Amino acid sequence: MKFGGAALADPDAVRRACAIVAAASAQRPVVVVSAVAGATALLEAALAEAQTGRPDSTPVRVRHRSLLSGLGLGQEVCDRLLGELALVLDAVRGT
């Protein structure tokens, strides 16, 4: 099973994807999760900004934290990864 994009667009969509996986749990499915809706475009925009010397991961952070909040999950779940993104964008700016 693979989920990404529209299948992970908002909290309700994530819940639906989880329900699909739960319903198939007896078969022990392999589950692949790719980017949530809009994340790829946000990452591309962040990279483009970094290349012009203005790295900013704020839109990516807001997108993911709002989704986590809507799911009732702590926003710190993605803090480490967002920190890594900021480091990558800073490195791109420095090249």
Side-chain angles (χ1 to χ4, degrees):
M1 300 178 157
K2 180 187 177 288
F3 299 93
L8 303 174
D10 55 41
D12 287 337
V14 171
R15 287 185 192 96
R16 283 191 297 275
C18 290
I20 291 168
V21 172
S25 65
Q27 290 83 28
R28 300 186 61 188
V30 173
V31 180
V32 176
V33 179
S34 63
V36 300
T40 300
L42 292 174
L43 289 167
E44 290 172 340
L47 175 60
E49 288 294 312
Q51 289 172 325
T52 65
R54 300 182 314 265
D56 183 12
S57 60
T58 301
V60 177
R61 179 173 29 86
V62 168
R63 173 71 179 107
H64 286 84
R65 286 187 172 171
S66 65
L67 183 59
L68 289 170
S69 177
L71 291 166
L73 299 172
Q75 297 178 358
E76 67 281 352
V77 169
C78 64
D79 283 348
R80 181 183 58 80
L81 295 173
L82 290 170
E84 289 178 20
L85 174 61
L87 291 173
V88 169
L89 295 176
D90 282 340
V92 168
R93 176 186 63 180
T95 60

